[in-house]
Amino acid sequence: MKNNLLTAAALALLTFSTITPADEPLKIGISAEPYPPFTYTSADGGWSGFEVELGLAFCEAMERECEIKPTGWSGIIPSLKAGRIDMIMNSMSITEARQRVIDFSDPYYFTPGAYVAAKDMTLTPPDDLDGQVLGVQSATTNATYTRRALRDSGAQVRLYDQAEQVNRDLLSGRLDVILADQIAMLELVERDAAEGFEIKGTAPHHPAYGDGVGIGLRQDDDALEAELNEAIAEVLENGTCTRLSNEYFDTDICT
């Protein structure tokens, strides 16, 4: 007969543990705010995009069932730490500040920040930012770079919660220039509504941009981290990442 106290203790551990059992689906956390072409809602209401497909490819390589879990960007790290999601896969750069609170898998792609403005604007950033209204999504590596490297540029910086808010204000003329991930900006300038806009330049390598993009994980989830690193290596080696990258970006961004 099992000891009641031991049973209660075991149940308590299960209740408070943030480790997902191997027979339960892993919850892939993505931002609830679409970030095309990385993540977006498709016509049937489901989620699609480069990182959605790539995340499911990682799960297939691990032979694990996974489900997509949209979560507000500002609360995505707290959701991970609380166990509501098991990993963050949403173009999250591996930075020193983030590594103080969460762990990361090996990187699977890298992209610098890119400046976008009207084609008829003469702009060589950062030298020509003085007096320009610059839009950046908050809580991103581009926001960190702006705060650290552009504070003396003379730009009037506006921070936004969502990437599409930044894009809309640029296209409508409420911003002069924006700074965002280059891959996302390559998609933006291909839109019909952005015909009059172009990429003016990219930000230089800077500590704010970290060491590439990886999957955010809880600090005590060592087993999942090891599984994911093996899966990332496999998906990079077998060409799946490159195939998806070429489909979505017409170039290979895979690390």
Side-chain angles (χ1 to χ4, degrees):
M1 184 174 180
K2 293 182 179 179
N3 185 288
N4 289 337
L5 290 176
L6 289 175
T7 303
L11 287 172
L13 286 172
L14 286 172
T15 300
F16 291 102
S17 174
T18 54
I19 304 297
T20 300
D23 59 347
E24 289 188 13
L26 291 170
K27 296 179 285 294
I28 303 176
I30 63 170
S31 174
E33 302 85 24
Y35 187 53
F38 294 93
T39 60
Y40 56 88
T41 50
S42 52
D44 62 2
W47 285 86
S48 189
F50 171 69
E51 284 187 294
V52 172
E53 289 200 54
L54 188 60
L56 295 177
F58 293 152
C59 291
E60 184 178 350
M62 293 190 294
E63 299 183 349
R64 293 288 301 268
E65 184 181 348
C66 293
E67 58 186 38
I68 303 299
K69 184 85 171 175
T71 304
W73 175 253
S74 61
I76 203 164
I77 288 180
S79 291
L80 174 71
K81 296 181 72 175
R84 290 188 289 272
I85 56 177
D86 298 305
M87 50 186 175
I88 299 170
M89 193 163 177
N90 209 157
S91 296
M92 183 170 275
S93 297
I94 304 167
T95 65
E96 254 183 57
R98 287 171 177 155
Q99 284 179 309
R100 295 189 193 110
V101 291
I102 63 173
D103 280 348
F104 282 91
S105 70
D106 292 337
Y108 55 91
Y109 89 84
F110 178 82
T111 179
Y115 296 92
V116 177
K119 289 180 179 178
D120 59 5
M121 176 188 289
T122 301
L123 182 73
T124 306
D127 298 335
D128 299 330
L129 290 176
D130 189 15
Q132 305 294 341
V133 183
L134 171 68
V136 185
Q137 185 184 9
S138 61
T140 64
T141 52
N142 288 298
T144 303
Y145 174 78
T146 299
R147 186 175 66 252
R148 293 185 188 177
L150 301 181
R151 57 188 173 189
D152 298 324
S153 67
Q156 302 173 38
V157 179
R158 291 183 186 171
L159 295 176
Y160 294 76
D161 290 334
Q162 301 178 22
E164 277 302 302
Q165 292 174 331
V166 190
N167 297 341
R168 284 197 298 268
D169 273 12
L170 174 71
L171 300 183
S172 63
R174 288 188 286 271
L175 293 172
D176 298 313
V177 58
I178 65 177
L179 176 63
D181 284 352
Q182 183 185 38
I183 300 301
M185 294 302 92
L186 287 170
E187 187 274 339
L188 174 66
V189 297
E190 289 298 316
R191 300 182 193 178
D192 291 341
E195 185 180 1
F197 295 84
E198 66 183 4
I199 292 176
K200 296 293 187 178
T202 57
H205 183 71
H206 187 277
Y209 286 108
D211 299 316
V213 170
I215 300 171
L217 300 162
R218 287 182 288 273
Q219 290 180 329
D220 57 354
D221 226 343
D222 297 338
L224 178 57
E225 182 177 344
E227 280 189 81
L228 275 169
N229 285 340
E230 287 185 14
I232 290 169
E234 179 180 331
V235 170
L236 290 174
E237 186 176 342
N238 67 21
T240 300
C241 188
T242 296
R243 175 180 60 77
L244 290 171
S245 180
N246 285 328
E247 285 179 13
Y248 281 98
F249 311 116
D250 291 325
T251 188
D252 186 3
I253 67 170
C254 301
T255 301

